[in-house]
């Protein structure tokens, strides 16, 4: 690993010619080479070549330090945030029906509107805020606030209060998909970027946890009621216990995030803020703690010059926010990438809830038509499909690290296979087919979804990563809101949503082919 020295003082005039001093080609640890200095690596080159040069030095240093126990801790602690996001979504889906029997609301899908409203505002607040106030504050506070309101939701005395607490719990959890990937990525050596895809296993794990709670509780007649006329709090405590138990679990995870690792600001966030001294100190502290080499010095960074401001005139202003949005379109190629990303998140935002959020209704209807109706079979099938879904991101993690596929074609394959099984699912006629197809779809769907989660932060510039990712997930949440009204005025127990999902996955596959960036073998900026 070459060290950049004071010989680069002419960087402002001749940076392109000096790039060879730090554009090394290290092995990524799995038999492929990282293409340093490629088009994607030089995302900042045409806008701010000094920032581009400094980013290369930081990436070199992260590769030099390599994988440590800190990264392992981040994988688990950030994974809690992934799990919390899907946990809150799943909780409202599996408890709304029982709560509606007790409260008898005029709009039965009110909780679904509440959870997606909370997720939408949360992802925008925490996502955009992370580019302005930093990753650390949002990382420490978001999960804790979500857990508190999730526990309180179990004690809600009315439908309106329940919807309010669900929305607040979703607000806290909503930013985690943005924060956790950004933080993890900005500490990772280039050889381990594929782990972002593997992190999506936490998303699937949350559905297993919810199913573990619901299966025994909802199979007990003493904890659930079946008719609105006789439903009271006393004979319908099951859904409250589900909120209590899962809220307590999220609270425990949030405490672990605060105590197991004391997170500092990521080096790339500090770099684009212009704080070279803290960048060097942070990386040297990590290297010292884990007995790793670190050749980066403050002199080597400062010798490259001062970066151009990528922010507004005032840190807490609309101009600051607008600067981050503009930064996502600073080149034609990046603009195309950003637009296709947001389109893909919009499409999956409708397809995913149509399948997963309303899956209990569909499984129940298919179970009835195949001779397996009742709470036991519904939740058994839900558990099986949830467990199978965990393995989708694991396979995706392997596929996206193959040169012949990369991230883009892993998504294409995942989307097209999912589409095929969605169409086939409408022909289910036996209990065995019902379980098998729901499990296969959960598996293949998460190949696409898990890869999209990882791909998004990888191709966004670090200065605007949280903003771009936040808006992408916000597009997803908007479509989740729309799905609530689709469910309210449509028949989710019919096969129509399945056909809609299949068509949407065709569009997602086309968008994946058109993505201009392929992160395989390239460093995230």
């Amino acid at each position: 690993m070459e060290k950049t020295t004071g010989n680069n003082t002419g960087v402002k005039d001749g940076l392109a010619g000096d790039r060879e001093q730090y554009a090394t080609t290290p092995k990524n640890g799995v038999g492929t080479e990282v293409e340093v200095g490629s088009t994607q690596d030089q995302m900042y080159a045409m806008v701010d070549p000094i920032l581009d040069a400094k980013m290369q030095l930081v990436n070199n240093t992260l590769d030099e330090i390599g994988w440590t126990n800190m990264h392992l801790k981040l994988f688990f602690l950030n994974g809690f945030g992934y799990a919390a996001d899907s946990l809150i979504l799943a909780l409202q889906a599996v408890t709304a029906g029982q709560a509606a029997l007790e409260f008898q609301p005029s709009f039965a899908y009110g909780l679904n509107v509440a959870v997606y409203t909370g997720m939408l505002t949360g992802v925008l607040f925490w996502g955009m805020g992370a580019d302005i106030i930093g990753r650390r504050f949002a990382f420490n506070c978001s999960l804790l606030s979500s857990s508190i309101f999730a526990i309180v939701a179990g004690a809600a005395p009315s439908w309106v209060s329940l919807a309010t607490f669900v929305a607040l719990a979703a607000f806290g959890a909503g930013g985690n998909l943005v924060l956790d990937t950004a933080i993890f990525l900005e500490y990772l050596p280039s050889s381990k970027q594929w782990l972002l895809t593997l992190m999506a296993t936490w998303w699937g794990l949350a559905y297993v946890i919810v199913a573990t709670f619901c299966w025994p509780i909802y199979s007990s007649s003493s904890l659930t009621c079946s008719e609105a006329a006789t439903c009271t709090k006393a004979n319908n405590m099951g859904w409250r216990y589900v909120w209590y138990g899962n809220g307590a679990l999220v609270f425990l995870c949030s405490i672990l995030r605060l105590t197991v690792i004391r997170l500092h600001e990521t080096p790339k966030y500090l770099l684009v803020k212009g704080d070279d001294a803290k960048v060097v100190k942070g990386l040297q502290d990590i290297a010292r703690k884990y007995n790793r080499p670190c050749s980066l010095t403050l002199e080597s960074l400062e010798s490259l010059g001062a970066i151009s401001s990528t922010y507004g005139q005032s840190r807490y202003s609309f101009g600051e926010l607008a600067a981050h949005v503009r930064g996502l379109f600073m080149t034609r190629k990046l603009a195309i990438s950003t637009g296709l990303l947001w389109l893909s998140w919009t499409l999956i935002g409708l397809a995913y809830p149509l399948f997963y959020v309303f899956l209990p209704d569909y499984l129940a209807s298919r179970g009835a038509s195949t001779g397996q109706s009742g709470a036991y079979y519904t939740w058994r099938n839900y558990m099986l499909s949830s467990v199978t879904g965990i393995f989708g991101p694991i396979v995706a993690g392997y596929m996206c690290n193959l040169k012949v596929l990369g991230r883009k074609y892993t998504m294409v394959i995942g989307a097209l296979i999912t589409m095929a099984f969605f169409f086939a699912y409408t022909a289910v006629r036996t209990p065995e087919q019902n379980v098998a197809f729901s499990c296969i779809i959960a598996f293949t769907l998460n190949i696409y979804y898990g890869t999209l989660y990882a791909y998004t932060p990888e191709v966004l510039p670090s200065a605007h990563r949280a903003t771009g990712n936040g808006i992408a997930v916000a597009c997803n949440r908007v479509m989740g809101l729309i799905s609530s009204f689709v469910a309210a005025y449509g028949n989710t127990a019919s096969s129509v949503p399945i056909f809609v999902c299949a068509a949407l996955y065709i569009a997602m596959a086309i968008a994946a082919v058109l993505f201009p960036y392929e992160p395989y073998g390239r460093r995230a900026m």
Side-chain angles (χ1 to χ4, degrees):
M1 181 75 62
E2 294 185 26
K3 177 180 174 182
T4 302
T5 66
N7 293 333
N8 297 98
T9 53
V11 66
K12 293 182 180 180
D13 299 319
L15 186 60
D18 294 335
R19 190 178 304 281
E20 291 155 357
Q21 295 188 31
Y22 51 83
T24 58
T25 309
K27 290 286 183 181
N28 75 355
V30 290
T32 56
E33 291 189 347
V34 178
E35 299 176 18
V36 184
S38 64
T39 301
Q40 184 172 318
D41 292 330
Q42 298 175 24
M43 191 176 287
Y44 290 117
M46 291 183 288
V47 180
D48 187 351
I50 296 176
L51 177 57
D52 179 61
K54 290 187 174 185
M55 192 67 72
Q56 296 285 0
L57 283 181
V58 169
N59 277 331
N60 283 349
T61 305
L62 290 172
D63 286 343
E64 185 181 21
I65 293 172
W67 178 264
T68 68
N69 284 338
M70 182 198 75
H71 296 95
L72 184 62
K73 292 176 183 178
L74 283 176
F75 179 81
F76 283 93
L77 296 174
N78 289 27
F80 294 161
Y82 253 56
D85 184 276
S86 57
L87 192 77
I88 298 300
L89 284 172
L91 283 176
Q92 72 80 25
V94 301
T95 59
Q98 285 301 129
L101 286 175
E102 182 178 329
F103 297 128
Q104 301 181 41
S106 57
F107 184 56
Y109 287 94
L111 291 193
N112 203 58
V113 172
V115 77
Y116 275 104
T117 300
M119 289 285 182
L120 173 61
T121 54
V123 76
L124 290 174
F125 177 82
W126 296 111
M128 294 180 177
D131 276 338
I132 299 173
I133 63 176
R135 280 66 159 136
R136 182 172 177 268
F137 176 80
F139 179 83
N140 288 337
C141 295
S142 57
L143 198 61
L144 180 62
S145 65
S146 178
S147 66
I148 292 172
F149 287 114
I151 295 171
V152 174
S158 67
W159 185 253
V160 173
S161 62
L162 176 59
T164 301
F165 294 132
V166 168
L168 290 171
F171 176 83
N176 279 281
L177 290 181
V178 177
L179 293 170
D180 295 329
T181 51
I183 291 170
F184 192 46
L185 177 63
E186 291 177 8
Y187 276 111
L188 277 178
S190 55
S191 65
K192 303 298 183 182
Q193 284 179 200
W194 64 272
L195 286 172
L196 281 178
T197 302
L198 190 62
M199 267 188 68
T201 55
W202 290 91
W203 173 273
L205 180 62
Y207 284 95
V208 176
I209 293 171
V210 170
T212 301
F213 276 87
C214 290
W215 192 357
I217 289 176
Y218 283 175
S219 296
S220 172
S221 59
S222 63
L223 296 175
T224 57
C225 57
S226 56
E227 296 182 2
T230 59
C231 194
T232 64
K233 180 179 179 180
N235 65 6
N236 194 38
M237 286 295 293
W239 69 268
R240 296 179 185 273
Y241 292 150
V242 172
W243 275 103
Y244 289 148
N246 284 275
L249 183 60
V250 176
F251 180 77
L252 175 61
C253 292
S254 68
I255 297 301
L256 290 175
R257 293 224 303 197
L258 291 171
T259 56
V260 172
I261 189 169
R262 295 183 179 180
L263 184 73
H264 299 286
E265 291 295 355
T266 66
K268 292 184 179 180
Y269 172 80
L270 293 171
L271 185 68
V272 297
K273 285 293 183 182
D275 200 336
D276 291 350
K278 287 187 178 179
V279 171
V280 174
K281 182 180 184 303
L283 291 172
Q284 287 181 347
D285 286 347
I286 295 172
R288 189 179 305 110
K289 182 176 181 179
Y290 295 100
N291 194 28
R292 299 298 174 84
C294 179
S295 58
L296 183 69
T297 64
L298 181 59
E299 290 75 17
S300 64
L301 277 181
E302 289 183 339
S303 69
L304 295 173
I307 67 172
S308 301
S309 175
T310 55
Y311 306 100
Q313 295 181 348
S314 174
R315 185 175 180 183
Y316 305 103
S317 66
F318 179 78
E320 170 85 352
L321 175 60
H324 284 299
V325 175
R326 284 197 305 271
L328 299 168
F329 299 88
M330 57 187 177
T331 67
R332 182 176 180 273
K333 190 173 184 179
L334 181 58
I336 294 172
S337 176
T338 300
L340 288 173
L341 275 178
W342 291 353
L343 173 63
S344 298
W345 278 93
T346 300
L347 294 173
I348 193 69
L350 183 58
Y352 195 85
L354 280 177
F355 180 69
Y356 256 121
V357 175
F358 307 116
L359 182 61
D361 289 342
Y362 191 77
L363 286 177
S365 69
R366 302 305 288 183
S369 66
T370 58
Q372 285 187 327
S373 59
Y376 173 83
Y377 291 110
T378 297
W379 292 107
R380 183 203 65 179
N381 295 351
Y382 190 85
M383 169 68 85
L384 290 173
S385 64
S386 298
V387 170
T388 308
I390 292 177
F391 296 95
I394 295 175
V395 173
Y398 173 77
M399 291 173 62
C400 74
N401 211 38
L402 297 175
K403 188 175 183 178
V404 69
L405 296 178
R407 275 59 156 171
K408 289 174 54 175
Y409 289 99
T410 296
M411 284 188 279
V412 172
I413 291 172
L416 291 180
I417 295 177
T418 302
M419 174 271 297
F421 279 101
F422 266 128
F423 279 127
Y425 197 12
T426 60
V428 164
R429 294 294 181 270
T430 68
E432 293 76 17
Q433 291 173 346
N434 183 38
V435 175
F437 274 82
S438 64
C439 288
I440 294 171
I441 289 173
F443 173 79
T444 58
L445 184 154
N446 280 338
I447 290 177
Y448 174 86
Y449 214 169
T451 309
L452 180 64
Y453 272 124
Y455 179 88
T456 302
E458 278 191 289
V459 298
L460 291 171
S462 55
H464 319 291
R465 178 170 288 133
T467 298
N469 204 356
I471 294 175
V473 180
C475 293
N476 181 283
R477 304 315 187 198
V478 168
M479 297 310 293
L481 277 171
I482 292 175
S483 72
S484 302
F485 296 97
V486 171
Y489 301 106
N491 181 10
T492 57
S494 75
S495 60
V496 173
I498 304 298
F499 281 113
V500 172
C501 287
L504 290 172
Y505 273 94
I506 296 175
M508 287 179 237
I510 295 172
V513 171
L514 296 176
F515 281 142
Y517 292 123
E518 171 50 64
Y520 173 84
R522 296 185 172 99
R523 290 166 162 178
M525 300 299 285

